[in-house]
Amino acid sequence: MTFAPLLLLLALLEIPAGAARAAWAGQYPEVAAACKAGVLCPKVTKTVSAPPVSVSLYYESLCGGCREFLVRELFSTWLMVEDILNITLVPYGNAQEQNVSGQWEFTCQHGERECMLNKVEACLLDKLDEILAFLTIVCLEEMDDMEKNLKPCLQIYAPETSPDTIMECAMGDRGTQLMHTNAQLTDALQPPHQYVPWVVVNGKHMEEHDHLLSLVCHLYQGEKPDICHIGPKSQRKVCYQ
């Protein structure tokens, strides 16, 4: 499952200018060449005139509909209106937890691999700056072999963080604790989630027929970005419980 055009945009976002970017471009020449070393991927920070719109995504790592929403809709919306958007990711989804002899054990909809990848993404969110964690997770979710691509995704966005550090977190007590916290957050949803991706915007569930960019633009109370005058539509795929 890959989204090549978005990957090219993703590849150079948040990468420092100058020597660091040159070093990265030398390590990943094909992606850097396609993106012209950042010329096509500018990052401009603007002053906002109102509180950002809060978007919380409750999802699971191997749900096809979750991956498509994260990469095609949430990430693309972030690219266009980053300055008016505040994103929270909660990787857990339709999993179930059980306390067995004082230890939390989890059963995930797409098996043990999904449980581990949910923990990996929870650990990324725990260990990295929130934007770098978001971009790293998008990078992973674009790939068919997420485990194999943890290292290159981290090398792009958080080269000071070792994949071993993330895996140690995911496989240890911290990963279990993070998953339990995400289970509590998911179970506390009102109304309860019926499927994933389950999207909450400014505290209210986003309906399947809604488009995220249009909704964010509608809810933002400040001066709206120019892109808000364009209202794309999409049909979202979901994973029911």
Side-chain angles (χ1 to χ4, degrees):
M1 179 177 183
T2 58
F3 303 98
L6 283 177
L7 178 58
L8 296 178
L9 283 174
L10 175 65
L12 287 164
L13 283 168
E14 301 289 342
I15 296 174
R21 176 168 290 187
W24 181 91
Q27 196 169 6
Y28 300 91
E30 58 286 328
V31 176
C35 212
K36 294 186 180 178
V39 173
L40 300 182
C41 310
K43 177 176 170 56
V44 178
T45 302
K46 297 181 180 179
T47 301
V48 296
S49 55
V53 177
S54 295
V55 177
S56 297
L57 172 62
Y58 296 80
Y59 72 105
E60 55 199 22
S61 57
L62 294 182
C63 165
C66 297
R67 300 178 74 179
E68 184 169 324
F69 177 82
L70 178 61
V71 175
R72 288 186 179 271
E73 195 161 347
L74 181 57
F75 174 59
S76 61
T77 298
W78 179 85
L79 281 175
M80 291 183 281
V81 294
E82 172 192 359
D83 296 314
I84 68 170
L85 196 59
N86 182 39
I87 294 173
T88 299
L89 299 182
V90 184
Y92 183 78
N94 294 330
Q96 301 291 326
E97 71 171 355
Q98 183 178 7
N99 192 317
V100 179
S101 301
Q103 296 290 326
W104 291 107
E105 295 184 359
F106 306 95
T107 303
C108 295
Q109 186 168 20
H110 299 94
E112 287 300 317
R113 178 171 176 248
E114 180 171 74
C115 281
M116 176 55 62
L117 289 170
N118 285 348
K119 289 181 179 180
V120 166
E121 295 189 4
C123 287
L124 288 169
L125 292 162
D126 184 55
K127 301 294 184 182
L128 302 182
D129 169 86
E130 60 182 19
I131 294 300
L132 297 182
F134 172 61
L135 292 173
T136 304
I137 288 170
V138 172
C139 181
L140 286 176
E141 292 285 354
E142 286 187 300
M143 306 300 183
D144 291 323
D145 190 339
M146 295 168 67
E147 295 91 340
K148 180 180 178 181
N149 284 287
L150 175 60
K151 181 176 180 178
C153 286
L154 280 171
Q155 286 177 335
I156 294 171
Y157 295 110
E160 74 287 351
T161 301
S162 166
D164 292 339
T165 299
I166 300 300
M167 293 308 301
E168 181 180 349
C169 168
M171 298 177 69
D173 292 341
R174 183 58 177 163
T176 299
Q177 180 185 8
L178 293 170
M179 275 282 279
H180 174 56
T181 298
N182 287 350
Q184 293 178 307
L185 291 171
T186 303
D187 290 344
L189 284 167
Q190 291 297 330
H193 85 283
Q194 301 171 21
Y195 52 80
V196 290
W198 191 262
V199 186
V200 177
V201 182
N202 277 2
K204 295 184 178 181
H205 171 236
M206 174 179 161
E207 300 295 338
E208 289 180 63
H209 58 78
D210 288 332
H211 185 271
L212 182 60
L213 176 61
S214 299
L215 185 57
V216 169
C217 288
H218 173 71
L219 292 174
Y220 183 61
Q221 297 299 305
E223 181 180 353
K224 300 182 189 298
D226 292 340
I227 193 66
C228 287
H229 300 295
I230 303 173
K233 304 297 180 184
S234 68
Q235 184 66 39
R236 195 182 321 153
K237 298 176 184 179
V238 301
C239 290
Y240 283 93
Q241 298 188 72

